[in-house]
Amino acid sequence: MASLTDDLKQSLSVVSLKDGQIQITVTLPADVLPHYAHLFEALTTFAELIQKQARSTARIQSQLYESQRQAALHERKLFCERLVAIYDDLIDQGLTRTAAIKQISSDLRKEKNPWAADYLVRSCLIDGGRPGKPGRKRSKQL
């Protein structure tokens, strides 16, 4: 008996149709039809398993992303609280707001902290309740 693949190759016909579609025709002997039916059933089950696994993986990735996002927000909150405490100490020592921000940025750069930019220090101070000028409108960044 010839292999199922040989039968498929000999009886396969592919015709191009409009709009990028194709028509596939397979002519099979009646005695091999059950084998092909089992093959298609196995492929369908396999495709359903892949879809189920993909949905499960996407759900796990989403949960992981959310937990990482929450951890990052918590780290930023702790960082901002640290900056506000340093800022308050510098203000108590008699520095102006601008001088205190520059000092904080300088210290962060010495630590090679990626959040050492002046504008990031200012945004943390604003979030910590230390706005620049009273009454001045500020847009809240997320």
Side-chain angles (χ1 to χ4, degrees):
M1 179 174 154
S3 75
L4 297 175
T5 310
D6 290 338
D7 288 341
L8 185 60
K9 285 180 185 175
Q10 292 173 2
S11 67
L12 182 64
S13 165
V14 179
V15 178
S16 292
L17 301 175
K18 297 181 202 175
D19 300 327
Q21 295 181 351
I22 58 171
Q23 176 182 336
I24 300 173
T25 305
V26 178
T27 306
L28 301 172
D31 59 334
V32 297
L33 182 60
H35 299 293
Y36 282 104
H38 291 297
L39 173 67
F40 288 128
E41 181 181 355
L43 289 174
T44 301
T45 303
F46 182 66
E48 290 170 353
L49 179 65
I50 289 173
Q51 286 178 336
K52 182 178 178 182
Q53 186 66 34
R55 284 191 300 267
S56 174
T57 301
R59 189 171 40 255
I60 290 169
Q61 288 295 333
S62 174
Q63 292 169 352
L64 178 63
Y65 169 77
E66 185 58 30
S67 69
Q68 288 174 339
R69 182 179 163 279
Q70 291 298 328
L73 289 173
H74 179 71
E75 286 296 318
R76 184 180 190 284
K77 180 182 175 194
L78 292 176
F79 176 75
C80 287
E81 288 172 357
R82 175 183 162 215
L83 292 188
V84 168
I86 294 170
Y87 173 80
D88 288 343
D89 287 343
L90 292 173
I91 293 297
D92 289 344
Q93 293 173 16
L95 270 67
T96 64
R97 176 180 172 79
T98 303
I101 290 171
K102 286 182 180 180
Q103 181 63 46
I104 293 170
S105 292
S106 175
D107 292 344
L108 290 173
R109 276 193 293 282
K110 288 177 187 172
E111 295 175 9
K112 297 188 181 198
N113 190 310
W115 297 341
D118 289 351
Y119 73 93
L120 294 173
V121 172
R122 280 189 188 92
S123 72
C124 278
L125 293 176
I126 291 167
D127 290 346
R130 308 301 186 279
K133 295 181 181 177
R136 184 174 170 192
K137 279 191 163 184
R138 300 271 183 179
S139 63
K140 181 131 177 140
Q141 295 178 348
L142 298 178

